[in-house]
Amino acid sequence: MNIFNDAIETHIQWNIRLKRHIEEGIIQDLKKVADCHVCDLGHWIYGDGVQYNYLPSFESMCTAHEHFHRIAAEVVYHSNANNKEKARSLLAADGVFAQSSSKLIKALMSCSKDLCDSVVNGIRNRRKVKDILQAKENNTIFSIEDHSPVLNAIKIMADHNIGAVAVTNKGFFLGIFTERGYLQHLMYRGAPGLEAPVSEMLDINTLCVDPDDSVEQCMILMTSTHTRHLPVLENGKLIGMISIGDVIKQVVSEDSSTISQLTDYVHNRYGVQ
């Protein structure tokens, strides 16, 4: 069991669960939702994990986890009171719940790196984001200044056949402009003009990863949030961008290498073709 990977996937799924409860009018147990001790992560934090409470990343994770359940409970409170509009606003892409979820995921990934040599059951992952960057034939980062019009960002994506562009302000990374993010703005905020600044169209669901984050965690993030691109930051600086295709290629490559090694071993050891 990998408590961190499981927790990332489980807590991402809370968004879907809460939306369903709002739309179906299901009454939730408010105290149970607010209690950060009862989920698997909570059991670990206040059980076996308490021995790591000296780590700043562990403390940050606990704080983010408590806040996450508090905000989830607020969504349930308004839903139970039939205040659907308020509950939905908390769950919006730029709402408090989404922000809380993002902070928890980042805290989980940070803590998992600190504990990779301490936790016995499966925190260690061989494949890292930096391995993906090293394997990429072209690691060019396509970027655009935040005041540039949306049309320019779309042209860059079309010219280079890419699905995301980094948005910067005087070299400082702000976020990414993506196909999905643009469509979300069309759906929820109306059709923006193509001359609107690209800074207004940032993909607000973007999660950033670190070179030492595992490929397995990237796969979980991407599949759970339906995200196709992850910016890679090192000490706050954008050093690359990985896509779902890059992640899948790394996983397939690693698995193929493992299979080849096992085949060679069996052949050399037992003479089996």
mmCIF file with all atom_site columns, all heavy atoms in Angstrom, residues 95-114:
data_model
loop_
_atom_site.group_PDB
_atom_site.id
_atom_site.type_symbol
_atom_site.label_atom_id
_atom_site.label_alt_id
_atom_site.label_comp_id
_atom_site.label_asym_id
_atom_site.label_entity_id
_atom_site.label_seq_id
_atom_site.pdbx_PDB_ins_code
_atom_site.Cartn_x
_atom_site.Cartn_y
_atom_site.Cartn_z
_atom_site.occupancy
_atom_site.B_iso_or_equiv
_atom_site.pdbx_formal_charge
_atom_site.auth_seq_id
_atom_site.auth_comp_id
_atom_site.auth_asym_id
_atom_site.auth_atom_id
_atom_site.pdbx_PDB_model_num
ATOM 1   N N   . GLY A 1 95  ? -12.992 27.880 -6.900 1.00 0.00 ? 95  GLY A N   1
ATOM 2   C CA  . GLY A 1 95  ? -13.567 27.990 -5.567 1.00 0.00 ? 95  GLY A CA  1
ATOM 3   C C   . GLY A 1 95  ? -12.615 27.564 -4.460 1.00 0.00 ? 95  GLY A C   1
ATOM 4   O O   . GLY A 1 95  ? -11.515 27.062 -4.696 1.00 0.00 ? 95  GLY A O   1
ATOM 5   N N   . VAL A 1 96  ? -13.076 27.746 -3.232 1.00 0.00 ? 96  VAL A N   1
ATOM 6   C CA  . VAL A 1 96  ? -12.259 27.455 -2.053 1.00 0.00 ? 96  VAL A CA  1
ATOM 7   C C   . VAL A 1 96  ? -11.922 25.972 -1.962 1.00 0.00 ? 96  VAL A C   1
ATOM 8   O O   . VAL A 1 96  ? -10.808 25.599 -1.575 1.00 0.00 ? 96  VAL A O   1
ATOM 9   C CB  . VAL A 1 96  ? -12.995 27.907 -0.767 1.00 0.00 ? 96  VAL A CB  1
ATOM 10  C CG1 . VAL A 1 96  ? -12.170 27.566 0.468  1.00 0.00 ? 96  VAL A CG1 1
ATOM 11  C CG2 . VAL A 1 96  ? -13.268 29.394 -0.811 1.00 0.00 ? 96  VAL A CG2 1
ATOM 12  N N   . PHE A 1 97  ? -12.869 25.120 -2.317 1.00 0.00 ? 97  PHE A N   1
ATOM 13  C CA  . PHE A 1 97  ? -12.618 23.681 -2.225 1.00 0.00 ? 97  PHE A CA  1
ATOM 14  C C   . PHE A 1 97  ? -11.515 23.263 -3.189 1.00 0.00 ? 97  PHE A C   1
ATOM 15  O O   . PHE A 1 97  ? -10.628 22.467 -2.830 1.00 0.00 ? 97  PHE A O   1
ATOM 16  C CB  . PHE A 1 97  ? -13.891 22.879 -2.520 1.00 0.00 ? 97  PHE A CB  1
ATOM 17  C CG  . PHE A 1 97  ? -13.692 21.394 -2.425 1.00 0.00 ? 97  PHE A CG  1
ATOM 18  C CD1 . PHE A 1 97  ? -13.748 20.741 -1.198 1.00 0.00 ? 97  PHE A CD1 1
ATOM 19  C CD2 . PHE A 1 97  ? -13.431 20.639 -3.561 1.00 0.00 ? 97  PHE A CD2 1
ATOM 20  C CE1 . PHE A 1 97  ? -13.537 19.369 -1.112 1.00 0.00 ? 97  PHE A CE1 1
ATOM 21  C CE2 . PHE A 1 97  ? -13.222 19.280 -3.483 1.00 0.00 ? 97  PHE A CE2 1
ATOM 22  C CZ  . PHE A 1 97  ? -13.284 18.636 -2.246 1.00 0.00 ? 97  PHE A CZ  1
ATOM 23  N N   . ALA A 1 98  ? -11.550 23.782 -4.424 1.00 0.00 ? 98  ALA A N   1
ATOM 24  C CA  . ALA A 1 98  ? -10.525 23.442 -5.410 1.00 0.00 ? 98  ALA A CA  1
ATOM 25  C C   . ALA A 1 98  ? -9.145  23.890 -4.933 1.00 0.00 ? 98  ALA A C   1
ATOM 26  O O   . ALA A 1 98  ? -8.149  23.172 -5.090 1.00 0.00 ? 98  ALA A O   1
ATOM 27  C CB  . ALA A 1 98  ? -10.850 24.080 -6.760 1.00 0.00 ? 98  ALA A CB  1
ATOM 28  N N   . GLN A 1 99  ? -9.082  25.065 -4.326 1.00 0.00 ? 99  GLN A N   1
ATOM 29  C CA  . GLN A 1 99  ? -7.815  25.576 -3.805 1.00 0.00 ? 99  GLN A CA  1
ATOM 30  C C   . GLN A 1 99  ? -7.311  24.701 -2.656 1.00 0.00 ? 99  GLN A C   1
ATOM 31  O O   . GLN A 1 99  ? -6.120  24.393 -2.567 1.00 0.00 ? 99  GLN A O   1
ATOM 32  C CB  . GLN A 1 99  ? -7.989  27.016 -3.331 1.00 0.00 ? 99  GLN A CB  1
ATOM 33  C CG  . GLN A 1 99  ? -8.348  27.995 -4.439 1.00 0.00 ? 99  GLN A CG  1
ATOM 34  C CD  . GLN A 1 99  ? -8.707  29.377 -3.903 1.00 0.00 ? 99  GLN A CD  1
ATOM 35  O OE1 . GLN A 1 99  ? -8.309  29.754 -2.800 1.00 0.00 ? 99  GLN A OE1 1
ATOM 36  N NE2 . GLN A 1 99  ? -9.480  30.125 -4.666 1.00 0.00 ? 99  GLN A NE2 1
ATOM 37  N N   . SER A 1 100 ? -8.221  24.300 -1.794 1.00 0.00 ? 100 SER A N   1
ATOM 38  C CA  . SER A 1 100 ? -7.857  23.453 -0.664 1.00 0.00 ? 100 SER A CA  1
ATOM 39  C C   . SER A 1 100 ? -7.372  22.089 -1.140 1.00 0.00 ? 100 SER A C   1
ATOM 40  O O   . SER A 1 100 ? -6.400  21.537 -0.612 1.00 0.00 ? 100 SER A O   1
ATOM 41  C CB  . SER A 1 100 ? -9.064  23.281 0.270  1.00 0.00 ? 100 SER A CB  1
ATOM 42  O OG  . SER A 1 100 ? -8.761  22.426 1.342  1.00 0.00 ? 100 SER A OG  1
ATOM 43  N N   . SER A 1 101 ? -8.049  21.550 -2.148 1.00 0.00 ? 101 SER A N   1
ATOM 44  C CA  . SER A 1 101 ? -7.661  20.251 -2.705 1.00 0.00 ? 101 SER A CA  1
ATOM 45  C C   . SER A 1 101 ? -6.268  20.321 -3.313 1.00 0.00 ? 101 SER A C   1
ATOM 46  O O   . SER A 1 101 ? -5.444  19.420 -3.123 1.00 0.00 ? 101 SER A O   1
ATOM 47  C CB  . SER A 1 101 ? -8.677  19.823 -3.769 1.00 0.00 ? 101 SER A CB  1
ATOM 48  O OG  . SER A 1 101 ? -8.311  18.586 -4.352 1.00 0.00 ? 101 SER A OG  1
ATOM 49  N N   . SER A 1 102 ? -5.990  21.402 -4.042 1.00 0.00 ? 102 SER A N   1
ATOM 50  C CA  . SER A 1 102 ? -4.681  21.575 -4.665 1.00 0.00 ? 102 SER A CA  1
ATOM 51  C C   . SER A 1 102 ? -3.574  21.657 -3.616 1.00 0.00 ? 102 SER A C   1
ATOM 52  O O   . SER A 1 102 ? -2.508  21.041 -3.762 1.00 0.00 ? 102 SER A O   1
ATOM 53  C CB  . SER A 1 102 ? -4.680  22.842 -5.525 1.00 0.00 ? 102 SER A CB  1
ATOM 54  O OG  . SER A 1 102 ? -3.418  23.069 -6.106 1.00 0.00 ? 102 SER A OG  1
ATOM 55  N N   . LYS A 1 103 ? -3.826  22.390 -2.533 1.00 0.00 ? 103 LYS A N   1
ATOM 56  C CA  . LYS A 1 103 ? -2.827  22.518 -1.462 1.00 0.00 ? 103 LYS A CA  1
ATOM 57  C C   . LYS A 1 103 ? -2.568  21.175 -0.794 1.00 0.00 ? 103 LYS A C   1
ATOM 58  O O   . LYS A 1 103 ? -1.417  20.843 -0.456 1.00 0.00 ? 103 LYS A O   1
ATOM 59  C CB  . LYS A 1 103 ? -3.304  23.539 -0.425 1.00 0.00 ? 103 LYS A CB  1
ATOM 60  C CG  . LYS A 1 103 ? -3.257  24.980 -0.906 1.00 0.00 ? 103 LYS A CG  1
ATOM 61  C CD  . LYS A 1 103 ? -3.733  25.936 0.176  1.00 0.00 ? 103 LYS A CD  1
ATOM 62  C CE  . LYS A 1 103 ? -3.690  27.380 -0.317 1.00 0.00 ? 103 LYS A CE  1
ATOM 63  N NZ  . LYS A 1 103 ? -4.193  28.328 0.721  1.00 0.00 ? 103 LYS A NZ  1
ATOM 64  N N   . LEU A 1 104 ? -3.620  20.384 -0.603 1.00 0.00 ? 104 LEU A N   1
ATOM 65  C CA  . LEU A 1 104 ? -3.449  19.073 0.026  1.00 0.00 ? 104 LEU A CA  1
ATOM 66  C C   . LEU A 1 104 ? -2.625  18.155 -0.859 1.00 0.00 ? 104 LEU A C   1
ATOM 67  O O   . LEU A 1 104 ? -1.729  17.452 -0.371 1.00 0.00 ? 104 LEU A O   1
ATOM 68  C CB  . LEU A 1 104 ? -4.814  18.448 0.317  1.00 0.00 ? 104 LEU A CB  1
ATOM 69  C CG  . LEU A 1 104 ? -4.773  17.014 0.871  1.00 0.00 ? 104 LEU A CG  1
ATOM 70  C CD1 . LEU A 1 104 ? -3.965  16.945 2.163  1.00 0.00 ? 104 LEU A CD1 1
ATOM 71  C CD2 . LEU A 1 104 ? -6.188  16.482 1.082  1.00 0.00 ? 104 LEU A CD2 1
ATOM 72  N N   . ILE A 1 105 ? -2.903  18.141 -2.148 1.00 0.00 ? 105 ILE A N   1
ATOM 73  C CA  . ILE A 1 105 ? -2.166  17.277 -3.071 1.00 0.00 ? 105 ILE A CA  1
ATOM 74  C C   . ILE A 1 105 ? -0.682  17.640 -3.073 1.00 0.00 ? 105 ILE A C   1
ATOM 75  O O   . ILE A 1 105 ? 0.191   16.764 -3.016 1.00 0.00 ? 105 ILE A O   1
ATOM 76  C CB  . ILE A 1 105 ? -2.758  17.392 -4.487 1.00 0.00 ? 105 ILE A CB  1
ATOM 77  C CG1 . ILE A 1 105 ? -4.156  16.761 -4.526 1.00 0.00 ? 105 ILE A CG1 1
ATOM 78  C CG2 . ILE A 1 105 ? -1.849  16.690 -5.503 1.00 0.00 ? 105 ILE A CG2 1
ATOM 79  C CD1 . ILE A 1 105 ? -4.927  17.076 -5.769 1.00 0.00 ? 105 ILE A CD1 1
ATOM 80  N N   . LYS A 1 106 ? -0.401  18.934 -3.124 1.00 0.00 ? 106 LYS A N   1
ATOM 81  C CA  . LYS A 1 106 ? 0.996   19.376 -3.110 1.00 0.00 ? 106 LYS A CA  1
ATOM 82  C C   . LYS A 1 106 ? 1.675   18.988 -1.799 1.00 0.00 ? 106 LYS A C   1
ATOM 83  O O   . LYS A 1 106 ? 2.841   18.579 -1.790 1.00 0.00 ? 106 LYS A O   1
ATOM 84  C CB  . LYS A 1 106 ? 1.063   20.890 -3.317 1.00 0.00 ? 106 LYS A CB  1
ATOM 85  C CG  . LYS A 1 106 ? 0.661   21.332 -4.722 1.00 0.00 ? 106 LYS A CG  1
ATOM 86  C CD  . LYS A 1 106 ? 0.646   22.844 -4.835 1.00 0.00 ? 106 LYS A CD  1
ATOM 87  C CE  . LYS A 1 106 ? 0.205   23.269 -6.233 1.00 0.00 ? 106 LYS A CE  1
ATOM 88  N NZ  . LYS A 1 106 ? 0.104   24.756 -6.359 1.00 0.00 ? 106 LYS A NZ  1
ATOM 89  N N   . ALA A 1 107 ? 0.952   19.106 -0.692 1.00 0.00 ? 107 ALA A N   1
ATOM 90  C CA  . ALA A 1 107 ? 1.513   18.748 0.610  1.00 0.00 ? 107 ALA A CA  1
ATOM 91  C C   . ALA A 1 107 ? 1.769   17.251 0.698  1.00 0.00 ? 107 ALA A C   1
ATOM 92  O O   . ALA A 1 107 ? 2.782   16.817 1.263  1.00 0.00 ? 107 ALA A O   1
ATOM 93  C CB  . ALA A 1 107 ? 0.555   19.180 1.727  1.00 0.00 ? 107 ALA A CB  1
ATOM 94  N N   . LEU A 1 108 ? 0.890   16.454 0.137  1.00 0.00 ? 108 LEU A N   1
ATOM 95  C CA  . LEU A 1 108 ? 1.065   14.999 0.130  1.00 0.00 ? 108 LEU A CA  1
ATOM 96  C C   . LEU A 1 108 ? 2.297   14.604 -0.675 1.00 0.00 ? 108 LEU A C   1
ATOM 97  O O   . LEU A 1 108 ? 3.083   13.745 -0.254 1.00 0.00 ? 108 LEU A O   1
ATOM 98  C CB  . LEU A 1 108 ? -0.183  14.324 -0.442 1.00 0.00 ? 108 LEU A CB  1
ATOM 99  C CG  . LEU A 1 108 ? -1.396  14.238 0.485  1.00 0.00 ? 108 LEU A CG  1
ATOM 100 C CD1 . LEU A 1 108 ? -2.651  13.901 -0.308 1.00 0.00 ? 108 LEU A CD1 1
ATOM 101 C CD2 . LEU A 1 108 ? -1.159  13.206 1.580  1.00 0.00 ? 108 LEU A CD2 1
ATOM 102 N N   . MET A 1 109 ? 2.470   15.233 -1.819 1.00 0.00 ? 109 MET A N   1
ATOM 103 C CA  . MET A 1 109 ? 3.610   14.903 -2.668 1.00 0.00 ? 109 MET A CA  1
ATOM 104 C C   . MET A 1 109 ? 4.918   15.340 -2.015 1.00 0.00 ? 109 MET A C   1
ATOM 105 O O   . MET A 1 109 ? 5.940   14.648 -2.108 1.00 0.00 ? 109 MET A O   1
ATOM 106 C CB  . MET A 1 109 ? 3.436   15.543 -4.041 1.00 0.00 ? 109 MET A CB  1
ATOM 107 C CG  . MET A 1 109 ? 2.257   14.970 -4.806 1.00 0.00 ? 109 MET A CG  1
ATOM 108 S SD  . MET A 1 109 ? 1.993   15.680 -6.442 1.00 0.00 ? 109 MET A SD  1
ATOM 109 C CE  . MET A 1 109 ? 3.311   14.907 -7.367 1.00 0.00 ? 109 MET A CE  1
ATOM 110 N N   . SER A 1 110 ? 4.886   16.478 -1.325 1.00 0.00 ? 110 SER A N   1
ATOM 111 C CA  . SER A 1 110 ? 6.085   16.960 -0.638 1.00 0.00 ? 110 SER A CA  1
ATOM 112 C C   . SER A 1 110 ? 6.464   16.025 0.503  1.00 0.00 ? 110 SER A C   1
ATOM 113 O O   . SER A 1 110 ? 7.639   15.661 0.672  1.00 0.00 ? 110 SER A O   1
ATOM 114 C CB  . SER A 1 110 ? 5.839   18.377 -0.108 1.00 0.00 ? 110 SER A CB  1
ATOM 115 O OG  . SER A 1 110 ? 6.954   18.833 0.636  1.00 0.00 ? 110 SER A OG  1
ATOM 116 N N   . CYS A 1 111 ? 5.478   15.614 1.275  1.00 0.00 ? 111 CYS A N   1
ATOM 117 C CA  . CYS A 1 111 ? 5.738   14.741 2.413  1.00 0.00 ? 111 CYS A CA  1
ATOM 118 C C   . CYS A 1 111 ? 6.187   13.357 1.948  1.00 0.00 ? 111 CYS A C   1
ATOM 119 O O   . CYS A 1 111 ? 7.032   12.725 2.576  1.00 0.00 ? 111 CYS A O   1
ATOM 120 C CB  . CYS A 1 111 ? 4.490   14.626 3.284  1.00 0.00 ? 111 CYS A CB  1
ATOM 121 S SG  . CYS A 1 111 ? 4.782   13.835 4.888  1.00 0.00 ? 111 CYS A SG  1
ATOM 122 N N   . SER A 1 112 ? 5.628   12.895 0.839  1.00 0.00 ? 112 SER A N   1
ATOM 123 C CA  . SER A 1 112 ? 5.998   11.564 0.334  1.00 0.00 ? 112 SER A CA  1
ATOM 124 C C   . SER A 1 112 ? 7.471   11.513 -0.025 1.00 0.00 ? 112 SER A C   1
ATOM 125 O O   . SER A 1 112 ? 8.143   10.489 0.172  1.00 0.00 ? 112 SER A O   1
ATOM 126 C CB  . SER A 1 112 ? 5.132   11.190 -0.877 1.00 0.00 ? 112 SER A CB  1
ATOM 127 O OG  . SER A 1 112 ? 5.515   11.919 -2.034 1.00 0.00 ? 112 SER A OG  1
ATOM 128 N N   . LYS A 1 113 ? 8.017   12.624 -0.543 1.00 0.00 ? 113 LYS A N   1
ATOM 129 C CA  . LYS A 1 113 ? 9.450   12.656 -0.882 1.00 0.00 ? 113 LYS A CA  1
ATOM 130 C C   . LYS A 1 113 ? 10.309  12.612 0.377  1.00 0.00 ? 113 LYS A C   1
ATOM 131 O O   . LYS A 1 113 ? 11.334  11.945 0.424  1.00 0.00 ? 113 LYS A O   1
ATOM 132 C CB  . LYS A 1 113 ? 9.770   13.897 -1.710 1.00 0.00 ? 113 LYS A CB  1
ATOM 133 C CG  . LYS A 1 113 ? 9.221   13.845 -3.118 1.00 0.00 ? 113 LYS A CG  1
ATOM 134 C CD  . LYS A 1 113 ? 9.886   14.867 -4.009 1.00 0.00 ? 113 LYS A CD  1
ATOM 135 C CE  . LYS A 1 113 ? 9.448   16.280 -3.657 1.00 0.00 ? 113 LYS A CE  1
ATOM 136 N NZ  . LYS A 1 113 ? 8.055   16.551 -4.025 1.00 0.00 ? 113 LYS A NZ  1
ATOM 137 N N   . ASP A 1 114 ? 9.874   13.333 1.417  1.00 0.00 ? 114 ASP A N   1
ATOM 138 C CA  . ASP A 1 114 ? 10.646  13.350 2.658  1.00 0.00 ? 114 ASP A CA  1
ATOM 139 C C   . ASP A 1 114 ? 10.666  11.984 3.343  1.00 0.00 ? 114 ASP A C   1
ATOM 140 O O   . ASP A 1 114 ? 11.635  11.644 4.030  1.00 0.00 ? 114 ASP A O   1
ATOM 141 C CB  . ASP A 1 114 ? 10.055  14.381 3.629  1.00 0.00 ? 114 ASP A CB  1
ATOM 142 C CG  . ASP A 1 114 ? 10.397  15.801 3.234  1.00 0.00 ? 114 ASP A CG  1
ATOM 143 O OD1 . ASP A 1 114 ? 11.274  15.978 2.356  1.00 0.00 ? 114 ASP A OD1 1
ATOM 144 O OD2 . ASP A 1 114 ? 9.784   16.736 3.780  1.00 0.00 ? 114 ASP A OD2 1
#
